Amino acid sequence: MAVIAVVDYDMGNLHSVCKGLEKAGATPKITDSPKDLDKADAVVLPGVGAFDPAVQHLRARGFEKPIKEAIASGKPFLGICLGLQILFESSAEGTESGLGIIKGTVRRFRPEPGIAIPHMGWNQLQLTQPKSHLWEYLPSQPWVYFVHSYYVEPQDSQVCAATITHGHQTITAAIARDNLVAVQFHPEKSSNIGLQILSNFVSQVWTTVAA
């Protein structure tokens, strides 16, 4: 069984994420110890809440360097929701610097007539990296579940793996670069589609472990 470290920094929907990973055939281990990231086969960084407290908690617990080292080593890494946003350099939501693993920033949805902020509920992905392992066995425009007021804007558009449209705004909903994938939506709340996405990530972990 692949052991996946689920980072506990007081900002994540940990148990729902772990249930999804277990259903996908992995052994998730919730940890607040940076040392566990080196021992694990893969790392998941979930997140619910605000940008500044998230990066403050990560740094206070000593996770910044181990997260960067895990990604640099080629270990499979999955960020979820806020766990995607804090990979970027900065956010309009706060003043703290992000981890800067992905160049770019986090922006807030622009108000416009007829749309709700936060963007909450089901929306349909437009896959911009359709051959990414994250999307295997999915329909061409899968429905997934979102809860967010902010979205990432990568400097390099090539890292964008999927977009969604909310009102007249089309934004990045997922990124993928080498061993790093991260999504704005919640796969653990996205029914069978979300479970398949988590299964695809777990399959990538097994492939990496076996290599």
Side-chain angles (χ1 to χ4, degrees):
M1 299 287 279
V3 176
I4 299 179
V6 179
V7 180
D8 178 7
Y9 60 113
D10 290 337
M11 300 291 291
N13 188 16
L14 302 178
H15 296 291
S16 295
V17 170
C18 287
K19 282 185 180 179
L21 290 169
E22 286 172 352
K23 286 182 181 178
T27 303
K29 178 181 180 180
I30 295 173
T31 180
D32 60 4
S33 172
K35 294 179 181 178
D36 287 337
L37 272 57
D38 184 51
K39 302 172 188 173
D41 298 309
V43 178
V44 172
L45 181 65
V48 176
F51 188 90
D52 277 7
V55 291
Q56 288 166 358
H57 290 182
L58 272 180
R59 289 184 171 121
R61 294 191 177 186
F63 273 115
E64 181 171 14
K65 184 179 178 183
I67 285 173
K68 290 179 177 179
E69 289 175 344
I71 293 170
S73 75
K75 188 171 292 190
F77 185 97
L78 170 64
I80 298 173
C81 196
L82 187 60
L84 158 68
Q85 296 178 4
I86 59 182
L87 299 176
F88 281 69
E89 295 173 295
S90 62
S91 174
E93 189 179 14
T95 59
E96 293 280 348
S97 60
L99 300 186
I101 295 164
I102 302 293
K103 290 188 179 298
T105 190
V106 181
R107 303 197 182 279
R108 196 177 196 276
F109 278 109
R110 300 186 309 274
E112 62 178 80
I115 72 166
I117 303 172
H119 170 227
M120 184 179 297
W122 296 87
N123 206 330
Q124 202 164 16
L125 296 178
Q126 307 295 320
L127 305 181
T128 54
Q129 289 188 32
K131 294 184 179 180
S132 169
H133 70 268
L134 206 58
W135 313 135
E136 288 181 352
Y137 312 113
L138 297 185
S140 60
Q141 296 180 319
W143 290 87
V144 291
Y145 191 82
F146 290 84
V147 183
H148 65 122
S149 300
Y150 295 81
Y151 62 88
V152 299
E153 188 174 84
Q155 194 176 100
D156 178 7
S157 61
Q158 295 300 308
V159 305
C160 178
T163 64
I164 50 118
T165 300
H166 186 45
H168 293 95
Q169 300 169 63
T170 297
I171 60 101
T172 297
I175 62 168
R177 187 183 70 187
D178 303 323
N179 56 303
L180 167 63
V181 293
V183 298
Q184 182 61 67
F185 57 88
H186 288 274
E188 76 279 8
K189 296 181 180 179
S190 297
S191 191
N192 290 337
I193 292 291
L195 181 58
Q196 183 61 60
I197 289 169
L198 291 176
S199 295
N200 291 342
F201 176 70
V202 172
S203 294
Q204 185 67 16
V205 176
W206 287 338
T207 299
T208 302
V209 170

